[in-house]
Amino acid sequence: MENNERTIKLGLEHLLEDGHEKIVYGALKKLHINTRSVEFDDFLQEARLAYAKAYVRFPQDL
């Protein structure tokens, strides 16, 4: 593995930095999934994984 290769683990770490998790909560809010929903925790975990996967696919050099 190269040093600059992005991984799911790095994506999850990036999510927890600098308030990036607000993006996940904002996306869930737009989908009308609120904290009172029985399945909120499941949706939250899925959204976190989707963020990490997008982080891996996103080009490093813009």
Side-chain angles (χ1 to χ4, degrees):
M1 178 181 346
E2 296 178 15
N3 290 340
N4 61 354
E5 186 175 332
R6 291 181 180 219
T7 63
I8 296 290
K9 182 178 184 269
L10 288 175
L12 291 171
E13 290 173 1
H14 184 264
L15 176 63
L16 298 176
E17 296 172 353
D18 301 325
H20 292 125
E21 199 163 27
K22 290 179 187 177
I23 297 168
V24 170
Y25 282 99
L28 291 175
K29 184 177 180 179
K30 278 195 168 215
L31 294 170
H32 304 287
I33 300 170
N34 60 38
T35 56
R36 289 179 268 146
S37 171
V38 176
E39 298 172 328
F40 178 78
D41 290 333
D42 295 330
F43 285 121
L44 180 60
Q45 285 299 92
E46 288 291 330
R48 287 173 175 156
L49 288 172
Y51 180 96
K53 289 176 184 177
Y55 177 85
V56 170
R57 290 190 311 264
F58 196 78
Q60 295 178 9
D61 297 325
L62 296 177

Short mmCIF file of all heavy atoms in Angstrom, two decimals:
data_model
loop_
_atom_site.label_atom_id
_atom_site.label_comp_id
_atom_site.label_asym_id
_atom_site.label_seq_id
_atom_site.Cartn_x
_atom_site.Cartn_y
_atom_site.Cartn_z
N MET A 1 0.84 -1.18 0.00
CA MET A 1 0.00 0.00 0.00
C MET A 1 0.89 1.24 0.00
O MET A 1 1.84 1.33 0.75
CB MET A 1 -0.90 -0.01 1.24
CG MET A 1 -1.76 1.19 1.33
SD MET A 1 -2.87 1.35 2.76
CE MET A 1 -2.94 -0.19 3.52
N GLU A 2 0.57 2.17 -0.87
CA GLU A 2 1.32 3.42 -0.93
C GLU A 2 0.93 4.33 0.23
O GLU A 2 -0.16 4.22 0.77
CB GLU A 2 1.03 4.14 -2.25
CG GLU A 2 1.49 3.36 -3.46
CD GLU A 2 1.13 4.08 -4.74
OE1 GLU A 2 0.79 5.28 -4.69
OE2 GLU A 2 1.19 3.44 -5.79
N ASN A 3 1.81 5.24 0.57
CA ASN A 3 1.55 6.17 1.67
C ASN A 3 0.40 7.11 1.38
O ASN A 3 -0.28 7.56 2.29
CB ASN A 3 2.81 6.98 2.00
CG ASN A 3 3.86 6.12 2.65
OD1 ASN A 3 3.57 5.06 3.18
ND2 ASN A 3 5.09 6.56 2.60
N ASN A 4 0.17 7.44 0.11
CA ASN A 4 -0.88 8.40 -0.23
C ASN A 4 -2.20 7.72 -0.62
O ASN A 4 -3.11 8.37 -1.08
CB ASN A 4 -0.41 9.34 -1.33
CG ASN A 4 -0.08 8.60 -2.62
OD1 ASN A 4 -0.09 7.39 -2.66
ND2 ASN A 4 0.23 9.35 -3.65
N GLU A 5 -2.29 6.40 -0.44
CA GLU A 5 -3.52 5.69 -0.79
C GLU A 5 -4.59 5.93 0.27
O GLU A 5 -4.34 5.83 1.47
CB GLU A 5 -3.24 4.19 -0.90
CG GLU A 5 -4.41 3.40 -1.40
CD GLU A 5 -4.04 1.94 -1.59
OE1 GLU A 5 -2.88 1.64 -1.86
OE2 GLU A 5 -4.95 1.11 -1.46
N ARG A 6 -5.76 6.25 -0.18
CA ARG A 6 -6.86 6.52 0.75
C ARG A 6 -7.56 5.21 1.10
O ARG A 6 -7.75 4.35 0.25
CB ARG A 6 -7.87 7.48 0.13
CG ARG A 6 -7.30 8.87 -0.01
CD ARG A 6 -8.33 9.77 -0.61
NE ARG A 6 -7.79 11.11 -0.74
CZ ARG A 6 -8.47 12.20 -0.51
NH1 ARG A 6 -9.74 12.13 -0.16
NH2 ARG A 6 -7.91 13.38 -0.62
N THR A 7 -7.94 5.07 2.37
CA THR A 7 -8.61 3.86 2.84
C THR A 7 -9.89 4.27 3.58
O THR A 7 -10.08 5.44 3.92
CB THR A 7 -7.72 3.08 3.81
OG1 THR A 7 -7.47 3.89 4.96
CG2 THR A 7 -6.40 2.66 3.17
N ILE A 8 -10.75 3.29 3.82
CA ILE A 8 -11.98 3.52 4.57
C ILE A 8 -11.63 4.05 5.97
O ILE A 8 -12.27 4.96 6.47
CB ILE A 8 -12.82 2.23 4.66
CG1 ILE A 8 -13.28 1.77 3.28
CG2 ILE A 8 -14.00 2.41 5.60
CD1 ILE A 8 -14.33 2.64 2.64
N LYS A 9 -10.60 3.48 6.57
CA LYS A 9 -10.18 3.91 7.91
C LYS A 9 -9.81 5.39 7.90
O LYS A 9 -10.23 6.14 8.79
CB LYS A 9 -8.99 3.07 8.38
CG LYS A 9 -8.53 3.43 9.78
CD LYS A 9 -7.38 2.53 10.21
CE LYS A 9 -6.98 2.81 11.64
NZ LYS A 9 -5.95 3.80 11.78
N LEU A 10 -9.06 5.82 6.90
CA LEU A 10 -8.70 7.23 6.80
C LEU A 10 -9.93 8.09 6.55
O LEU A 10 -10.04 9.21 7.05
CB LEU A 10 -7.68 7.45 5.69
CG LEU A 10 -6.27 6.95 5.97
CD1 LEU A 10 -5.40 7.13 4.73
CD2 LEU A 10 -5.66 7.66 7.15
N GLY A 11 -10.88 7.56 5.79
CA GLY A 11 -12.13 8.28 5.54
C GLY A 11 -12.92 8.49 6.81
O GLY A 11 -13.48 9.57 7.04
N LEU A 12 -12.98 7.46 7.66
CA LEU A 12 -13.69 7.59 8.93
C LEU A 12 -12.97 8.56 9.87
O LEU A 12 -13.61 9.33 10.58
CB LEU A 12 -13.86 6.22 9.58
CG LEU A 12 -14.81 5.28 8.86
CD1 LEU A 12 -14.73 3.88 9.45
CD2 LEU A 12 -16.23 5.81 8.89
N GLU A 13 -11.64 8.53 9.85
CA GLU A 13 -10.88 9.48 10.67
C GLU A 13 -11.12 10.91 10.18
O GLU A 13 -11.27 11.83 10.98
CB GLU A 13 -9.39 9.14 10.63
CG GLU A 13 -9.05 7.88 11.38
CD GLU A 13 -7.60 7.45 11.19
OE1 GLU A 13 -6.84 8.14 10.47
OE2 GLU A 13 -7.24 6.39 11.75
N HIS A 14 -11.16 11.10 8.87
CA HIS A 14 -11.41 12.42 8.30
C HIS A 14 -12.80 12.92 8.69
O HIS A 14 -12.99 14.11 8.96
CB HIS A 14 -11.28 12.36 6.77
CG HIS A 14 -11.43 13.68 6.10
ND1 HIS A 14 -12.63 14.10 5.57
CD2 HIS A 14 -10.55 14.69 5.90
CE1 HIS A 14 -12.47 15.31 5.06
NE2 HIS A 14 -11.22 15.69 5.24
N LEU A 15 -13.75 12.01 8.73
CA LEU A 15 -15.12 12.36 9.11
C LEU A 15 -15.17 12.96 10.51
O LEU A 15 -15.95 13.89 10.76
CB LEU A 15 -16.01 11.11 9.03
CG LEU A 15 -17.45 11.26 9.50
CD1 LEU A 15 -18.20 12.25 8.61
CD2 LEU A 15 -18.14 9.91 9.49
N LEU A 16 -14.36 12.46 11.40
CA LEU A 16 -14.39 12.92 12.79
C LEU A 16 -13.59 14.19 13.02
O LEU A 16 -13.63 14.76 14.11
CB LEU A 16 -13.88 11.80 13.71
CG LEU A 16 -14.74 10.54 13.69
CD1 LEU A 16 -14.11 9.46 14.56
CD2 LEU A 16 -16.16 10.82 14.12
N GLU A 17 -12.86 14.67 12.01
CA GLU A 17 -12.05 15.88 12.15
C GLU A 17 -12.84 17.11 11.71
O GLU A 17 -13.67 17.06 10.81
CB GLU A 17 -10.80 15.78 11.26
CG GLU A 17 -9.86 14.68 11.65
CD GLU A 17 -8.75 14.51 10.63
OE1 GLU A 17 -8.78 15.16 9.56
OE2 GLU A 17 -7.84 13.71 10.90
N ASP A 18 -12.56 18.21 12.34
CA ASP A 18 -13.02 19.54 11.91
C ASP A 18 -14.52 19.63 11.66
O ASP A 18 -14.97 20.37 10.79
CB ASP A 18 -12.28 19.99 10.65
CG ASP A 18 -10.77 20.07 10.87
OD1 ASP A 18 -10.36 20.44 11.99
OD2 ASP A 18 -10.02 19.76 9.94
N GLY A 19 -15.31 18.88 12.37
CA GLY A 19 -16.75 18.99 12.23
C GLY A 19 -17.34 18.45 10.95
O GLY A 19 -18.44 18.83 10.55
N HIS A 20 -16.62 17.56 10.26
CA HIS A 20 -17.13 17.00 9.01
C HIS A 20 -18.38 16.15 9.22
O HIS A 20 -19.14 15.93 8.29
CB HIS A 20 -16.06 16.17 8.30
CG HIS A 20 -14.93 16.98 7.78
ND1 HIS A 20 -13.63 16.73 8.12
CD2 HIS A 20 -14.90 18.08 6.98
CE1 HIS A 20 -12.84 17.62 7.55
NE2 HIS A 20 -13.60 18.46 6.84
N GLU A 21 -18.59 15.68 10.44
CA GLU A 21 -19.75 14.83 10.69
C GLU A 21 -21.06 15.61 10.53
O GLU A 21 -22.12 15.03 10.33
CB GLU A 21 -19.66 14.20 12.08
CG GLU A 21 -20.55 13.00 12.21
CD GLU A 21 -20.21 12.11 13.39
OE1 GLU A 21 -19.67 12.59 14.38
OE2 GLU A 21 -20.50 10.91 13.30
N LYS A 22 -20.97 16.93 10.55
CA LYS A 22 -22.16 17.76 10.31
C LYS A 22 -22.75 17.47 8.94
O LYS A 22 -23.96 17.57 8.74
CB LYS A 22 -21.81 19.24 10.40
CG LYS A 22 -21.47 19.72 11.78
CD LYS A 22 -21.11 21.19 11.73
CE LYS A 22 -20.60 21.68 13.07
NZ LYS A 22 -20.19 23.10 13.00
N ILE A 23 -21.89 17.10 8.00
CA ILE A 23 -22.35 16.78 6.64
C ILE A 23 -23.28 15.57 6.69
O ILE A 23 -24.34 15.55 6.04
CB ILE A 23 -21.15 16.50 5.72
CG1 ILE A 23 -20.29 17.76 5.58
CG2 ILE A 23 -21.61 15.99 4.36
CD1 ILE A 23 -18.95 17.52 4.93
N VAL A 24 -22.90 14.57 7.46
CA VAL A 24 -23.70 13.35 7.58
C VAL A 24 -25.05 13.66 8.23
O VAL A 24 -26.10 13.25 7.74
CB VAL A 24 -22.93 12.28 8.39
CG1 VAL A 24 -23.82 11.12 8.74
CG2 VAL A 24 -21.71 11.82 7.62
N TYR A 25 -25.02 14.42 9.33
CA TYR A 25 -26.27 14.76 10.01
C TYR A 25 -27.16 15.63 9.12
O TYR A 25 -28.37 15.48 9.11
CB TYR A 25 -25.98 15.47 11.33
CG TYR A 25 -25.57 14.53 12.43
CD1 TYR A 25 -24.23 14.35 12.75
CD2 TYR A 25 -26.51 13.80 13.14
CE1 TYR A 25 -23.84 13.48 13.75
CE2 TYR A 25 -26.14 12.93 14.15
CZ TYR A 25 -24.80 12.77 14.45
OH TYR A 25 -24.44 11.90 15.45
N GLY A 26 -26.55 16.53 8.34
CA GLY A 26 -27.31 17.36 7.42
C GLY A 26 -27.98 16.54 6.33
O GLY A 26 -29.13 16.79 5.96
N ALA A 27 -27.28 15.53 5.82
CA ALA A 27 -27.85 14.67 4.80
C ALA A 27 -29.03 13.87 5.36
O ALA A 27 -30.07 13.74 4.70
CB ALA A 27 -26.79 13.72 4.25
N LEU A 28 -28.88 13.37 6.57
CA LEU A 28 -29.99 12.63 7.19
C LEU A 28 -31.18 13.55 7.44
O LEU A 28 -32.33 13.14 7.25
CB LEU A 28 -29.53 11.99 8.50
CG LEU A 28 -28.52 10.84 8.35
CD1 LEU A 28 -28.06 10.36 9.71
CD2 LEU A 28 -29.10 9.71 7.54
N LYS A 29 -30.91 14.78 7.81
CA LYS A 29 -32.00 15.74 8.05
C LYS A 29 -32.75 16.01 6.76
O LYS A 29 -33.98 16.07 6.75
CB LYS A 29 -31.43 17.03 8.63
CG LYS A 29 -32.49 18.04 8.99
CD LYS A 29 -31.87 19.27 9.63
CE LYS A 29 -32.95 20.28 9.98
NZ LYS A 29 -32.40 21.47 10.63
N LYS A 30 -32.02 16.16 5.65
CA LYS A 30 -32.68 16.40 4.36
C LYS A 30 -33.55 15.22 3.95
O LYS A 30 -34.52 15.38 3.21
CB LYS A 30 -31.64 16.67 3.27
CG LYS A 30 -31.16 18.09 3.24
CD LYS A 30 -30.45 18.38 1.95
CE LYS A 30 -30.28 19.86 1.86
NZ LYS A 30 -30.38 20.36 0.53
N LEU A 31 -33.19 14.05 4.40
CA LEU A 31 -33.97 12.85 4.10
C LEU A 31 -35.09 12.63 5.11
O LEU A 31 -35.76 11.60 5.08
CB LEU A 31 -33.05 11.62 4.07
CG LEU A 31 -32.02 11.60 2.95
CD1 LEU A 31 -31.01 10.48 3.18
CD2 LEU A 31 -32.71 11.45 1.60
N HIS A 32 -35.26 13.59 6.01
CA HIS A 32 -36.30 13.54 7.05
C HIS A 32 -36.13 12.34 7.98
O HIS A 32 -37.10 11.72 8.40
CB HIS A 32 -37.70 13.54 6.43
CG HIS A 32 -37.93 14.71 5.53
ND1 HIS A 32 -38.11 15.99 6.01
CD2 HIS A 32 -37.99 14.81 4.19
CE1 HIS A 32 -38.28 16.82 5.01
NE2 HIS A 32 -38.20 16.13 3.87
N ILE A 33 -34.86 12.02 8.27
CA ILE A 33 -34.55 10.97 9.24
C ILE A 33 -34.06 11.67 10.50
O ILE A 33 -32.99 12.26 10.51
CB ILE A 33 -33.47 10.02 8.69
CG1 ILE A 33 -33.95 9.36 7.41
CG2 ILE A 33 -33.10 8.98 9.75
CD1 ILE A 33 -32.88 8.60 6.66
N ASN A 34 -34.88 11.63 11.55
CA ASN A 34 -34.50 12.35 12.76
C ASN A 34 -34.11 11.39 13.88
O ASN A 34 -34.26 10.18 13.77
CB ASN A 34 -35.62 13.30 13.21
CG ASN A 34 -36.91 12.58 13.52
OD1 ASN A 34 -36.90 11.49 14.07
ND2 ASN A 34 -38.03 13.19 13.15
N THR A 35 -33.61 11.95 14.95
CA THR A 35 -33.09 11.15 16.06
C THR A 35 -34.16 10.35 16.78
O THR A 35 -33.83 9.41 17.50
CB THR A 35 -32.36 12.05 17.08
OG1 THR A 35 -33.26 13.07 17.52
CG2 THR A 35 -31.15 12.71 16.46
N ARG A 36 -35.41 10.69 16.59
CA ARG A 36 -36.50 9.93 17.22
C ARG A 36 -36.86 8.68 16.45
O ARG A 36 -37.60 7.84 16.94
CB ARG A 36 -37.73 10.82 17.39
CG ARG A 36 -37.52 11.88 18.48
CD ARG A 36 -38.71 12.76 18.62
NE ARG A 36 -38.46 13.90 17.72
CZ ARG A 36 -39.37 14.55 17.04
NH1 ARG A 36 -40.62 14.23 17.15
NH2 ARG A 36 -39.04 15.54 16.26
N SER A 37 -36.34 8.54 15.26
CA SER A 37 -36.60 7.35 14.45
C SER A 37 -35.95 6.13 15.11
O SER A 37 -34.82 6.20 15.60
CB SER A 37 -36.02 7.54 13.05
OG SER A 37 -36.09 6.35 12.32
N VAL A 38 -36.66 5.03 15.10
CA VAL A 38 -36.16 3.79 15.70
C VAL A 38 -34.88 3.34 15.00
O VAL A 38 -33.97 2.80 15.62
CB VAL A 38 -37.24 2.68 15.61
CG1 VAL A 38 -36.71 1.36 16.12
CG2 VAL A 38 -38.48 3.10 16.36
N GLU A 39 -34.78 3.59 13.70
CA GLU A 39 -33.65 3.13 12.91
C GLU A 39 -32.58 4.20 12.71
O GLU A 39 -31.69 4.04 11.89
CB GLU A 39 -34.15 2.65 11.55
CG GLU A 39 -35.09 1.47 11.66
CD GLU A 39 -35.72 1.14 10.33
OE1 GLU A 39 -35.94 2.06 9.51
OE2 GLU A 39 -35.99 -0.05 10.11
N PHE A 40 -32.63 5.29 13.47
CA PHE A 40 -31.70 6.40 13.27
C PHE A 40 -30.25 5.94 13.38
O PHE A 40 -29.42 6.31 12.54
CB PHE A 40 -31.96 7.53 14.28
CG PHE A 40 -30.99 8.66 14.13
CD1 PHE A 40 -31.13 9.59 13.12
CD2 PHE A 40 -29.90 8.80 14.99
CE1 PHE A 40 -30.24 10.63 12.95
CE2 PHE A 40 -29.00 9.83 14.84
CZ PHE A 40 -29.17 10.75 13.82
N ASP A 41 -29.91 5.15 14.38
CA ASP A 41 -28.52 4.72 14.56
C ASP A 41 -28.02 3.90 13.37
O ASP A 41 -26.87 4.03 12.96
CB ASP A 41 -28.36 3.91 15.85
CG ASP A 41 -28.52 4.77 17.09
OD1 ASP A 41 -28.23 5.99 17.02
OD2 ASP A 41 -28.94 4.24 18.13
N ASP A 42 -28.90 3.08 12.81
CA ASP A 42 -28.53 2.29 11.63
C ASP A 42 -28.26 3.21 10.43
O ASP A 42 -27.27 3.03 9.72
CB ASP A 42 -29.63 1.29 11.27
CG ASP A 42 -29.82 0.23 12.34
OD1 ASP A 42 -28.83 -0.10 13.02
OD2 ASP A 42 -30.96 -0.25 12.49
N PHE A 43 -29.15 4.17 10.22
CA PHE A 43 -28.96 5.12 9.12
C PHE A 43 -27.69 5.95 9.33
O PHE A 43 -26.96 6.23 8.37
CB PHE A 43 -30.16 6.05 8.99
CG PHE A 43 -31.36 5.40 8.36
CD1 PHE A 43 -32.57 5.33 9.03
CD2 PHE A 43 -31.29 4.88 7.07
CE1 PHE A 43 -33.67 4.75 8.45
CE2 PHE A 43 -32.40 4.30 6.47
CZ PHE A 43 -33.59 4.23 7.17
N LEU A 44 -27.40 6.32 10.55
CA LEU A 44 -26.21 7.11 10.86
C LEU A 44 -24.95 6.32 10.52
O LEU A 44 -24.03 6.85 9.88
CB LEU A 44 -26.22 7.52 12.33
CG LEU A 44 -25.04 8.36 12.80
CD1 LEU A 44 -24.94 9.67 12.03
CD2 LEU A 44 -25.16 8.64 14.30
N GLN A 45 -24.90 5.05 10.89
CA GLN A 45 -23.74 4.22 10.57
C GLN A 45 -23.58 4.05 9.07
O GLN A 45 -22.47 4.11 8.54
CB GLN A 45 -23.85 2.86 11.25
CG GLN A 45 -23.57 2.91 12.73
CD GLN A 45 -22.17 3.40 13.05
OE1 GLN A 45 -21.94 4.58 13.25
NE2 GLN A 45 -21.22 2.51 13.07
N GLU A 46 -24.69 3.82 8.37
CA GLU A 46 -24.63 3.68 6.91
C GLU A 46 -24.14 4.97 6.26
O GLU A 46 -23.36 4.94 5.31
CB GLU A 46 -26.01 3.30 6.35
CG GLU A 46 -26.42 1.89 6.66
CD GLU A 46 -25.58 0.85 5.93
OE1 GLU A 46 -25.08 1.12 4.83
OE2 GLU A 46 -25.41 -0.24 6.50
N ALA A 47 -24.59 6.11 6.77
CA ALA A 47 -24.16 7.40 6.22
C ALA A 47 -22.68 7.63 6.47
O ALA A 47 -21.97 8.17 5.61
CB ALA A 47 -24.99 8.53 6.84
N ARG A 48 -22.20 7.25 7.64
CA ARG A 48 -20.76 7.38 7.94
C ARG A 48 -19.93 6.53 6.99
O ARG A 48 -18.90 6.98 6.48
CB ARG A 48 -20.49 6.97 9.38
CG ARG A 48 -20.97 7.98 10.40
CD ARG A 48 -20.82 7.44 11.80
NE ARG A 48 -21.18 8.44 12.79
CZ ARG A 48 -21.57 8.14 14.02
NH1 ARG A 48 -21.66 6.88 14.41
NH2 ARG A 48 -21.87 9.10 14.87
N LEU A 49 -20.38 5.31 6.72
CA LEU A 49 -19.66 4.45 5.79
C LEU A 49 -19.71 5.01 4.36
O LEU A 49 -18.73 4.93 3.62
CB LEU A 49 -20.22 3.03 5.83
CG LEU A 49 -19.88 2.24 7.08
CD1 LEU A 49 -20.64 0.92 7.10
CD2 LEU A 49 -18.39 1.99 7.19
N ALA A 50 -20.84 5.57 3.98
CA ALA A 50 -20.96 6.17 2.64
C ALA A 50 -20.00 7.34 2.51
O ALA A 50 -19.36 7.52 1.46
CB ALA A 50 -22.40 6.62 2.40
N TYR A 51 -19.86 8.14 3.57
CA TYR A 51 -18.91 9.26 3.56
C TYR A 51 -17.49 8.73 3.38
O TYR A 51 -16.73 9.25 2.56
CB TYR A 51 -19.02 10.05 4.87
CG TYR A 51 -18.07 11.22 4.95
CD1 TYR A 51 -18.50 12.50 4.61
CD2 TYR A 51 -16.76 11.07 5.36
CE1 TYR A 51 -17.64 13.58 4.68
CE2 TYR A 51 -15.89 12.13 5.42
CZ TYR A 51 -16.33 13.39 5.09
OH TYR A 51 -15.47 14.46 5.15
N ALA A 52 -17.13 7.70 4.13
CA ALA A 52 -15.78 7.14 4.05
C ALA A 52 -15.49 6.57 2.67
O ALA A 52 -14.40 6.75 2.13
CB ALA A 52 -15.59 6.07 5.12
N LYS A 53 -16.49 5.91 2.06
CA LYS A 53 -16.31 5.37 0.71
C LYS A 53 -16.14 6.49 -0.31
O LYS A 53 -15.34 6.38 -1.24
CB LYS A 53 -17.49 4.48 0.34
CG LYS A 53 -17.51 3.18 1.10
CD LYS A 53 -18.75 2.36 0.78
CE LYS A 53 -18.82 1.11 1.60
NZ LYS A 53 -20.05 0.34 1.35
N ALA A 54 -16.90 7.56 -0.14
CA ALA A 54 -16.75 8.71 -1.04
C ALA A 54 -15.38 9.35 -0.87
O ALA A 54 -14.77 9.80 -1.84
CB ALA A 54 -17.85 9.73 -0.76
N TYR A 55 -14.89 9.38 0.34
CA TYR A 55 -13.55 9.92 0.62
C TYR A 55 -12.48 9.12 -0.13
O TYR A 55 -11.56 9.69 -0.69
CB TYR A 55 -13.29 9.88 2.13
CG TYR A 55 -11.91 10.36 2.53
CD1 TYR A 55 -11.65 11.71 2.72
CD2 TYR A 55 -10.87 9.46 2.75
CE1 TYR A 55 -10.39 12.16 3.09
CE2 TYR A 55 -9.62 9.89 3.13
CZ TYR A 55 -9.38 11.23 3.30
OH TYR A 55 -8.13 11.67 3.67
N VAL A 56 -12.64 7.82 -0.16
CA VAL A 56 -11.68 6.95 -0.86
C VAL A 56 -11.71 7.24 -2.36
O VAL A 56 -10.67 7.32 -3.01
CB VAL A 56 -11.99 5.47 -0.58
CG1 VAL A 56 -11.18 4.56 -1.49
CG2 VAL A 56 -11.74 5.14 0.88
N ARG A 57 -12.89 7.41 -2.94
CA ARG A 57 -13.04 7.62 -4.38
C ARG A 57 -12.69 9.03 -4.81
O ARG A 57 -12.38 9.25 -6.00
CB ARG A 57 -14.47 7.31 -4.81
CG ARG A 57 -14.83 5.85 -4.76
CD ARG A 57 -16.18 5.59 -5.42
NE ARG A 57 -17.21 6.49 -4.96
CZ ARG A 57 -18.08 6.21 -3.98
NH1 ARG A 57 -18.02 5.07 -3.36
NH2 ARG A 57 -19.00 7.08 -3.64
N PHE A 58 -12.76 9.99 -3.93
CA PHE A 58 -12.54 11.39 -4.30
C PHE A 58 -11.10 11.61 -4.73
O PHE A 58 -10.18 11.12 -4.09
CB PHE A 58 -12.87 12.30 -3.10
CG PHE A 58 -13.05 13.73 -3.47
CD1 PHE A 58 -14.23 14.16 -4.06
CD2 PHE A 58 -12.06 14.65 -3.27
CE1 PHE A 58 -14.41 15.49 -4.40
CE2 PHE A 58 -12.22 15.98 -3.60
CZ PHE A 58 -13.41 16.40 -4.17
N PRO A 59 -10.88 12.36 -5.80
CA PRO A 59 -9.50 12.60 -6.27
C PRO A 59 -8.70 13.40 -5.23
O PRO A 59 -9.22 14.34 -4.62
CB PRO A 59 -9.68 13.40 -7.56
CG PRO A 59 -11.07 13.88 -7.56
CD PRO A 59 -11.87 13.02 -6.63
N GLN A 60 -7.47 12.99 -5.05
CA GLN A 60 -6.62 13.66 -4.06
C GLN A 60 -6.18 15.04 -4.51
O GLN A 60 -6.07 15.94 -3.72
CB GLN A 60 -5.43 12.79 -3.73
CG GLN A 60 -5.84 11.50 -3.04
CD GLN A 60 -4.65 10.61 -2.74
OE1 GLN A 60 -3.53 11.02 -2.90
NE2 GLN A 60 -4.92 9.40 -2.35
N ASP A 61 -5.89 15.17 -5.78
CA ASP A 61 -5.46 16.47 -6.32
C ASP A 61 -6.59 17.10 -7.09
O ASP A 61 -7.05 16.56 -8.09
CB ASP A 61 -4.25 16.28 -7.25
CG ASP A 61 -3.05 15.75 -6.49
OD1 ASP A 61 -2.87 16.11 -5.33
OD2 ASP A 61 -2.31 14.95 -7.08
N LEU A 62 -7.05 18.24 -6.63
CA LEU A 62 -8.15 18.92 -7.32
C LEU A 62 -7.60 19.82 -8.39
O LEU A 62 -6.65 20.46 -8.27
CB LEU A 62 -8.98 19.73 -6.33
CG LEU A 62 -9.69 18.90 -5.27
CD1 LEU A 62 -10.43 19.84 -4.32
CD2 LEU A 62 -10.69 17.99 -5.94
#
